[in-house]
Amino acid sequence: MKKILLNTIKLAAIASVLSLSSCNKFIDILPVGYGQIPTALSDYEALLRDEYGNHRTDITQAVLLLNDKFETSGNLNYYPLYKANYNWNESADRIALNNADEGTYYNMYTGINTSNLIIGKAAGTTGGTDAQKAELIAQAKVLRAFDYDILANYYADTYEEANAGTKLSVPLILSADIGAPYTQVSIKELYDFMLKDINEAIPALGATSATVLHPNLGSANALKARILLQMGRYAEALAAANEALKYNDKLFDWTTFYNTYKTQIEAVNVYSNAPSPMGFNYVENYYFRHGSSSNAGREQSIRVDRATRFEQGDARFASRWKLRTVGADTYYTSITTGYFNVGGLTTTEVYLIKAECQARLNDVPGAMSTLNMVRVKRIFAANYAPLSATNTIEAVKLIQRTKRNELILGITPFADTRRLNKDANYAVTLSKTEGGQALTLTPNSRMWTMPFPQGASKNPGNGTIKQNVDK
């Protein structure tokens, strides 16, 4: 665990000299100069804005395990852990292989360290009103809960009420001090803590915030809805989703976007067609978060067999990916460039949380109406027809089809698949043919929980870490 603190020394506690190399793209602000000790509220607010350190989520192994992206043979051969997850190798010792793929773990704890620093020190700063200080602390609590939710759904088993109190989750660190003690808490304790952070934050948050990197009431309630859905507390999750939608209920019209760029999109052998609409100003944003990088670029490529699971006439898919063959590889390549909110919170996710909660609470017509509100903005008019369902199981399956496609390349499809795999009504066995070999990943596979990286487990610092998987 010492490595976490060494990796985050650039965001160190007040007792240490602070030196931060900022990679901001959204707001290019260096929080404080080299050798300065932050004392003003504006210094801590600037720390929160650091995109590279605090608003970046690398969940590569989860996306590989789902086979939601196309991976090159070169990467599979070079990175044994990639190959193990991508090809569902149950015999692979992923603990031994996870000696370098540490981004998910340390990126999240870097953000947590920043949040802990703000929570612990912002109230005593100079400048700013008490309300402004309380708001910044509240924003840090939401971001801390967000980071812990990623960790919980990556390195620990999914939440199940029957065993959440006895299974271990991840280290709960509440201080930015170097050498601070910590405890690897149970899954239940971590989920309760995340909800506590959010509920404490909500009274101090505003309906709007300084930037899309600063949580507000919409993003806090959206995150609350996500966590409550993971816990199976459907009535509460529905209430939180409805509360989030009070602050933003907009949906982007992908059919209009496609028609705007149709000539370029349909041009033969042209693979750079349009600017990404999913950046900082995306109308669906509650909170923006990058994927593995904070640089402008393209999205990850999609496997051909994964592309078949999108609905026919899906304008969102057609606007973002295009079939391409390079040498022996055929895949769907990204055709938009810019920034992509694949790691944050959007209205689409909240609508689909709402839809599942309505279905679970036996309001199947209401659930399908909510689902179709999203679909009508995605499916070309020639292909669109409202969906209906006769029961909860049928409705949830249709909602999940849309949700997995809408939120592809983010953590939510992985978290949802793990959650639903615990219910025989929704559990799925993934299958594919790779190199002429038939491969499968079962719902009860140990591979659905990622091992802690060796850097963490071998250097636990002032605490202990127990692996949540056997290999």
Side-chain angles (χ1 to χ4, degrees), residues 7-22:
N7 279 3
T8 59
I9 194 70
K10 63 182 180 180
L11 303 170
I14 290 292
S16 300
V17 174
L18 184 145
S19 173
L20 178 65
S21 176
S22 176

Side-chain angles (χ1 to χ4, degrees), residues 69 71 73 124 188 258 269 385 464:
K69 70 182 288 282
E71 191 55 85
S73 58
K188 179 172 175 53
Y258 184 93
N269 295 326
T464 58

Side-chain angles (χ1 to χ4, degrees), residues 1 38 68 88 174 184 205-206 221 239 241 256 259 290 336 343 361 374 405-406 431 454 463:
M1 188 59 64
D68 275 355
W88 307 326
L174 300 177
Q184 185 179 2
L205 295 172
N221 281 287
T256 298
N259 288 327
H290 300 277
T336 57
L361 297 170
V374 175
N405 290 334
E406 286 286 328
S431 61
Q454 290 186 35

Side-chain angles (χ1 to χ4, degrees), residues 191-321:
Y191 274 76
D192 288 346
F193 177 80
M194 291 187 290
L195 290 176
K196 177 176 177 290
D197 252 0
I198 297 168
N199 287 331
E200 288 178 353
I202 284 175
L205 295 172
T208 60
S209 50
T211 76
V212 75
L213 303 178
H214 292 68
N216 52 36
L217 285 168
S219 46
N221 281 287
L223 179 59
K224 184 177 180 179
R226 176 193 283 186
I227 293 170
L228 288 166
L229 176 67
Q230 292 164 357
M231 300 175 77
R233 291 162 60 173
Y234 302 120
E236 295 169 86
L238 177 60
N242 282 329
E243 188 67 21
L245 290 170
K246 290 180 183 178
Y247 299 100
N248 184 8
D249 62 358
K250 298 181 180 66
L251 288 166
F252 185 77
D253 192 330
W254 281 92
T255 63
T256 298
F257 179 86
Y258 184 93
N259 288 327
T260 300
Y261 294 96
K262 182 176 180 178
T263 300
Q264 299 99 301
I265 291 172
E266 295 182 355
V268 177
N269 295 326
V270 176
Y271 300 100
S272 182
N273 304 114
S276 166
M278 299 169 60
F280 302 111
N281 296 320
Y282 191 38
V283 297
E284 296 190 2
N285 285 341
Y286 288 114
Y287 162 62
F288 181 95
R289 181 168 283 217
H290 300 277
S292 58
S293 171
S294 61
N295 296 317
R298 297 189 185 214
E299 296 183 271
Q300 295 167 322
S301 298
I302 304 297
R303 288 175 59 93
V304 173
D305 54 358
R306 177 61 181 86
T308 63
R309 299 205 293 274
F310 283 81
E311 279 194 69
Q312 185 176 5
D314 190 325
R316 191 171 191 264
F317 175 79
S319 297
R320 293 166 66 188
W321 291 284

Side-chain angles (χ1 to χ4, degrees), residues 64 71-84 86-87 97 329 434:
L64 287 172
E71 191 55 85
T72 65
S73 58
N75 275 348
L76 295 177
N77 290 328
Y78 189 80
Y79 300 107
L81 184 60
Y82 282 37
K83 189 172 184 178
Y86 194 67
N87 289 334
L97 295 178
D329 294 327
E434 199 78 24

Side-chain angles (χ1 to χ4, degrees), residues 302-456:
I302 304 297
R303 288 175 59 93
V304 173
D305 54 358
R306 177 61 181 86
T308 63
R309 299 205 293 274
F310 283 81
E311 279 194 69
Q312 185 176 5
D314 190 325
R316 191 171 191 264
F317 175 79
S319 297
R320 293 166 66 188
W321 291 284
K322 192 172 184 178
L323 189 65
R324 187 176 193 181
T325 298
V326 179
D329 294 327
T330 299
Y331 52 91
Y332 280 84
T333 190
S334 171
I335 59 174
T336 57
T337 57
Y339 295 98
F340 302 89
N341 188 5
V342 296
L345 295 161
T346 64
T347 57
T348 290
E349 180 178 358
V350 172
Y351 274 110
L352 297 173
I353 289 172
K354 175 178 179 177
E356 181 174 342
C357 292
Q358 288 173 305
R360 298 282 192 168
L361 297 170
N362 298 315
D363 180 11
V364 173
M368 301 313 292
S369 176
T370 302
L371 171 61
N372 287 322
M373 289 175 66
V374 175
R375 291 181 61 253
V376 76
K377 300 288 188 179
R378 272 52 176 168
I379 310 301
F380 293 123
N383 303 100
Y384 178 79
L387 293 176
S388 61
T390 59
N391 55 57
T392 293
I393 294 173
E394 185 179 337
V396 171
K397 287 181 177 180
L398 290 171
I399 292 162
Q400 276 297 318
R401 179 182 66 173
T402 293
K403 193 176 182 186
R404 285 168 178 155
N405 290 334
E406 286 286 328
L407 304 180
I408 191 171
L409 304 179
I411 190 64
T412 298
F414 181 71
D416 276 352
T417 302
R418 286 164 25 105
R419 170 174 65 90
L420 294 167
N421 276 345
K422 299 298 182 178
D423 186 335
N425 290 312
Y426 307 108
V428 295
T429 295
L430 301 183
S431 61
K432 67 174 180 177
T433 299
E434 199 78 24
Q437 182 181 6
L439 302 173
T440 59
L441 180 66
T442 62
N444 60 356
S445 171
R446 63 175 179 80
M447 300 189 79
W448 288 107
T449 297
M450 299 296 169
F452 291 123
Q454 290 186 35

